[in-house]
């Protein structure tokens, strides 16, 4: 039964690919590199990217244990060829020729850990990896998962600028998990099928900087102000909810890998010329006075084709937007300062 379902879903995936308007008549070759592939997010993300038919070459990199992950994932009977690379000496090989680089490297948040604690460890890791990206695959799209994303994306931008290789259209902070959570929580309260739900999430990717726009949710449900306030708070605190539930044994690794794979798939579709691919992401932006901001973006062959405007906000959302700006501004400045030390 399960096998026949897999066969059917595999066949339908192939059909949908064939329906995509590729003038070549086949799916382009695409190399995806995952930096931090042996970690809690990296391993399930490697699995999900191995299942993606748009990937022809999957390059897995970490400081240790990558050959084992690559051997394991490499036995899966899908299109992509998998190679595992380990240690600083092999980072160049892992990156060369990559169309898309996904960065879940670094340490996860543990109970009692602040985002400042995270910053102190992960900022240096991101800085080193981005220096290598600028050198070995400067034209790749970069999907930043390493937290705190509000600061690591500005760090990446500064490192790329220093190398003379910055293209703001190709650098993304992955905020898809906020959207995934908002959809799940909203569907539960609105009693609608979650597969039909869409909720834009704007701002940043930490605590109060996460602002789900439930006033723009589809399908629309008539939820009370108290319920919307609670949904907003739960979306903002989703990461903490998982950290506490795992009781010191980890953070949101599986749901983050799923969200990372969703966003990577959207980026690959954009690169391949699929029209009207729109996702929320934390990017360089002029939508607000802040230099980086998460909102809906249209993805295309060059990365960001267009940053879409925020649309109409409720009074509650307007207040939330003004409330998040000081914290997001501070996180951006912290990243820029670190990169330029």
């Amino acid at each position: 039964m399960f096998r026949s379902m897999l066969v059917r879903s595999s066949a339908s995936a192939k059909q949908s690919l064939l329906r995509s308007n590729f003038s070549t008549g086949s799916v382009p070759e695409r190399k995806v590199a995952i930096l931090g592939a042996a970690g809690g997010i990296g391993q399930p993300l490697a699995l999900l990217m191995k299942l993606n038919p748009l990937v022809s070459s999957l390059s897995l990199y970490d400081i240790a244990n990558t050959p084992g992950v690559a051997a394991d994932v490499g036995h899966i009977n899908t299109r992509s060829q998998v190679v595992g690379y380990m240690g600083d000496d092999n980072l160049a090989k892992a990156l060369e020729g990559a169309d898309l680089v996904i960065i879940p490297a670094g340490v996860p948040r543990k109970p009692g850990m602040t985002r400042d604690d995270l910053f102190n460890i992960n900022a240096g890791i991101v800085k080193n990896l981005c220096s290598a990206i600028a050198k070995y695959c400067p034209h790749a799209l970069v999907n930043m998962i390493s937290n705190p994303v509000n600061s690591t994306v500005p760090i990446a931008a500064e490192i790329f600028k220093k190398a003379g290789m910055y293209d703001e259209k190709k650098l993304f902070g992955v905020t898809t998990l906020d959207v995934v959570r908002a959809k799940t929580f909203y569907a539960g309260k609105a009693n609608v099928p979650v597969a039909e739900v869409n909720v834009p999430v704007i701002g940043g990717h930490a605590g109060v900087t996460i602002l789900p726009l439930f006033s723009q949710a589809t399908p629309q449900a008539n939820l009370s102000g108290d319920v919307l306030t609670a949904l907003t708070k739960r979306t903002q605190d989703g990461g903490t909810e998982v950290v506490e539930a795992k009781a010191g044994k980890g953070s949101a690794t599986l749901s983050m890998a799923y969200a990372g794979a969703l966003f990577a798939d959207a980026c690959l579709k954009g690169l391949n010329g699929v029209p009207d691919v729109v996702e929320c992401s934390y990017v360089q932006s002029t939508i607000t006075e802040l230099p980086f901001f998460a909102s809906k973006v249209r993805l295309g062959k060059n990365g960001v084709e267009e940053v879409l405007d925020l649309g109409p906000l409720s009074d509650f959302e307007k207040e939330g937007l003004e409330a998040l700006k000081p914290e997001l501004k501070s996180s951006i400045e912290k990243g820029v300062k670190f990169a330029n030390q």
Side-chain angles (χ1 to χ4, degrees), residues 76-203:
I76 294 168
N77 59 325
T78 56
R79 175 190 184 210
S80 52
Q81 299 297 307
V82 184
V83 185
Y85 298 96
M86 189 169 77
D88 293 344
D89 297 348
N90 289 305
L91 184 52
K93 286 183 203 160
L95 290 171
E96 277 162 359
D99 297 285
L100 172 66
V101 181
I102 313 172
I103 311 180
V107 298
R109 195 152 61 101
K110 296 182 173 70
M113 213 181 193
T114 66
R115 284 190 158 80
D116 277 347
D117 298 331
L118 266 188
F119 179 90
N120 293 332
I121 302 167
N122 290 353
I125 294 170
V126 165
K127 192 174 182 178
N128 292 338
L129 293 175
C130 288
S131 297
I133 290 167
K135 193 170 178 182
Y136 300 113
C137 57
H139 304 297
L141 300 191
V142 176
N143 289 1
M144 184 68 69
I145 290 174
S146 303
N147 271 318
V149 166
N150 291 352
S151 299
T152 54
V153 170
I155 289 170
E158 292 300 307
I159 298 303
F160 294 151
K161 282 177 194 171
K162 283 184 179 178
M165 300 307 302
Y166 181 49
D167 181 348
E168 71 273 12
K169 293 180 175 178
K170 296 191 170 181
L171 175 61
F172 302 88
V174 180
T175 60
T176 313
L177 183 51
D178 302 327
V179 177
V180 164
R181 286 175 174 145
K183 288 178 178 182
T184 302
F185 304 157
Y186 176 86
K189 287 293 181 188
N191 202 20
V192 292
V194 70
E196 294 169 16
V197 170
N198 202 10
V199 184
V201 182
I202 64 167

